[in-house]
């Protein structure tokens, strides 16, 4: 689970180039948070998500963030605090199965989730920050096993921006079989999404995640393909999303690349991977033991044979 955010040794820039463009790392190292906030204020909703991801979903800026959130009291400082506490919660939890967690790991998880809830659930004068905070609150409430509160946070987020990908993405995780939902609930949720590009991305995520759930079973490829063939064909006939740095594009195209891998389409797979360059989030790759932050591992994957279509 913790690798949803980052790996300490092989970190990929989860702002996908945005933070470098605005010299955010240098500003943070110099504790120039007012300038960072000024930049944040002028970003689009999706860019704000990526800016915060690049700052908070890494251990690179831990000391800088701690100094900032202790001394500041602004919408932006509360947003950063909430996102960072949420990241710390999943780091404390580690990637173990629930039954294998130690008492200290469980306590750390819930300690940071409670801190994140206080920050992300607070009042925000600026709509953009409130929308961002509520999108991340979905995942906080998911960790606290509060699905009703998570859905309320989701509704508050998309009421401010109905194309907020992080809000939709986190509900996908909430209602997936891996967490608090099941397959039927997940399908119903995706079908309810009206934004075509987001629904397209979620269907791709669904197909890959359904395979990851049965990967270890005997005849898994055949079973997965037989069960999902109509949906696969439907998705593949839809226009692809342009490859860019928006979150909906990044997640759609990363999952599309792996879908082509599962279908034995190596050339199609590698075409998308080459277009993505280095825009690889931790998932879906971590489901299959691939460290997306490692250039060597991603290069090895490109060179590997795709699966044979059943």
């Amino acid at each position: 689970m913790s690798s949803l955010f980052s790996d300490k040794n092989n970190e990929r820039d989860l702002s996908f180039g945005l933070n470098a463009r605005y010299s955010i790392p240098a500003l943070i190292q110099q504790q120039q948070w007012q300038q960072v906030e000024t930049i944040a204020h002028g970003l689009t909703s999706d860019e704000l998500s990526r800016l915060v991801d690049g700052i908070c979903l890494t251990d690179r800026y831990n000391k800088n963030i701690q100094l900032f959130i202790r001394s500041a009291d602004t919408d932006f400082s509360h947003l950063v605090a909430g996102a960072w506490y949420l990241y710390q919660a999943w780091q404390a939890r580690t990637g173990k199965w629930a039954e294998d967690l130690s008492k200290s790991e469980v306590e750390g998880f819930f300690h940071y989730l409670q801190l994140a809830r206080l920050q992300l659930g607070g009042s925000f004068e600026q709509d953009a920050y409130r929308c961002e905070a509520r999108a991340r609150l979905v995942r906080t409430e998911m960790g606290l096993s509060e699905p009703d509160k998570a859905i309320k946070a989701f509704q508050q987020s998309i009421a401010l921006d109905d194309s907020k990908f992080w809000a939709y993405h986190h509900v996908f995780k909430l209602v997936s079989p891996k967490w608090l939902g099941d397959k039927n609930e997940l399908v119903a949720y995706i079908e309810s999404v009206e934004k075509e590009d987001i629904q397209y991305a979620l269907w791709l995520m669904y197909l890959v995640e359904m395979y990851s759930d049965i990967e270890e079973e005997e005849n898994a490829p055949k079973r997965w393909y037989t069960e999902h063939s109509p949906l696969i064909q439907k998705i593949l006939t839809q226009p692809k999303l342009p490859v860019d740095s928006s979150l909906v594009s990044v997640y759609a195209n990363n999952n599309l690349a792996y879908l082509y891998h599962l279908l034995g389409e190596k050339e199609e797979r590698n075409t998308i991977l080459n277009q993505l360059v280095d825009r690889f989030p931790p998932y879906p790759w971590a489901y299959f033991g691939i460290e997306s932050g490692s250039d060597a591992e991603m290069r090895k994957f490109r060179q590997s044979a795709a699966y044979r279509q059943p």
Side-chain angles (χ1 to χ4, degrees):
M1 287 290 184
S2 63
S3 60
L4 173 65
F5 295 115
S6 75
D7 180 274
K8 293 179 181 180
N9 298 316
N10 294 306
E11 288 190 325
R12 188 71 73 185
D13 169 28
L14 294 182
S15 79
F16 304 115
L18 182 141
N19 288 7
R21 187 197 319 160
Y22 289 102
S23 300
I24 299 298
L27 292 174
I28 292 175
Q29 296 296 347
Q30 298 162 15
Q31 289 297 118
Q32 298 296 317
W33 287 100
Q34 181 57 58
Q35 292 187 47
V36 177
E37 183 166 359
T38 298
I39 292 167
H41 188 67
L43 297 177
T44 67
S45 182
D46 189 78
E47 288 173 336
L48 178 61
S49 294
R50 288 160 48 204
L51 174 97
V52 174
D53 286 352
I55 293 172
C56 297
L57 307 190
T58 172
D59 293 312
R60 189 177 300 134
Y61 308 117
N62 282 354
K63 292 182 180 179
N64 304 90
I65 291 173
Q66 288 173 317
L67 289 171
F68 174 50
I69 63 181
R70 287 172 187 162
S71 60
D73 184 18
T74 66
D75 276 3
F76 186 68
S77 69
H78 292 299
L79 175 60
V80 168
W84 185 73
Y85 286 139
L86 179 56
Y87 169 76
Q88 294 302 320
W90 291 98
Q91 291 295 92
R93 188 194 182 282
T94 77
K96 299 175 185 176
W97 293 105
E99 59 268 24
D100 297 326
L101 293 173
S102 68
K103 180 181 178 181
S104 63
E105 288 165 345
V106 171
E107 289 176 347
F109 182 52
F110 286 110
H111 168 72
Y112 281 112
L113 285 177
Q114 293 289 355
L115 292 175
R117 173 191 268 174
L118 287 173
Q119 298 292 334
L120 299 173
S123 59
F124 287 81
E125 292 184 7
Q126 298 183 54
D127 286 352
Y129 294 150
R130 185 164 66 255
C131 175
E132 185 68 38
R134 296 304 191 265
R136 293 172 189 271
L137 186 59
V138 173
R139 192 165 194 84
T140 306
E141 299 296 354
M142 180 188 99
L144 292 167
S145 298
E146 293 282 1
D148 292 341
K149 291 181 179 179
I151 294 300
K152 181 179 179 180
F154 166 73
Q155 292 169 340
Q156 290 174 343
S157 182
I158 64 168
L160 295 165
D161 177 5
D162 64 358
S163 62
K164 191 67 170 178
F165 181 74
W166 260 166
Y168 293 97
H169 177 281
H170 293 331
V171 172
F172 178 97
K173 295 297 182 182
L174 170 76
V175 299
S176 72
K178 284 185 171 70
W179 204 255
L180 299 180
D182 56 40
K183 183 177 178 180
N184 291 334
E185 189 175 1
L186 183 55
V187 168
Y189 162 63
I190 299 172
E191 290 176 340
S192 75
V193 174
E194 296 181 358
K195 291 288 184 180
E196 291 183 0
D197 58 342
I198 295 177
Q199 187 185 71
Y200 172 76
L202 296 179
W203 279 128
L204 287 165
M205 290 168 57
Y206 169 83
L207 286 169
V208 174
E209 186 148 323
M210 289 304 101
Y211 183 82
S212 77
D213 285 350
I214 65 170
E215 183 187 19
E216 300 302 322
E217 294 182 13
E218 188 176 358
N219 295 320
K222 183 176 181 180
R223 176 188 159 192
W224 171 83
Y225 185 81
T226 301
E227 184 174 349
H228 298 102
S229 182
L231 176 59
I232 292 168
Q233 300 310 313
K234 178 181 177 181
I235 292 300
L236 292 182
T237 59
Q238 294 184 18
K240 299 182 180 71
L241 294 188
V243 178
D244 57 39
S245 296
S246 66
L247 289 173
V248 67
S249 171
V250 166
Y251 275 84
N253 283 297
N254 273 264
N255 282 276
L256 179 59
Y258 205 87
L259 177 62
Y260 278 129
H261 177 68
L262 295 176
L263 297 175
E265 301 286 350
K266 180 178 180 179
E267 184 175 345
E268 293 281 2
R269 178 197 74 188
N270 286 355
T271 295
I272 295 175
L273 292 175
N274 291 336
Q275 291 173 339
L276 285 164
V277 185
D278 61 357
R279 288 169 287 198
F280 303 124
Y283 285 90
W285 309 104
Y287 286 142
F288 308 101
I290 302 169
E291 173 50 65
S292 64
S294 167
D295 290 336
E297 288 199 29
M298 293 306 294
R299 185 166 54 250
K300 181 179 178 181
F301 179 73
R302 280 186 178 88
Q303 295 167 350
S304 70
Y307 288 8
R308 284 190 174 185
Q309 186 168 312

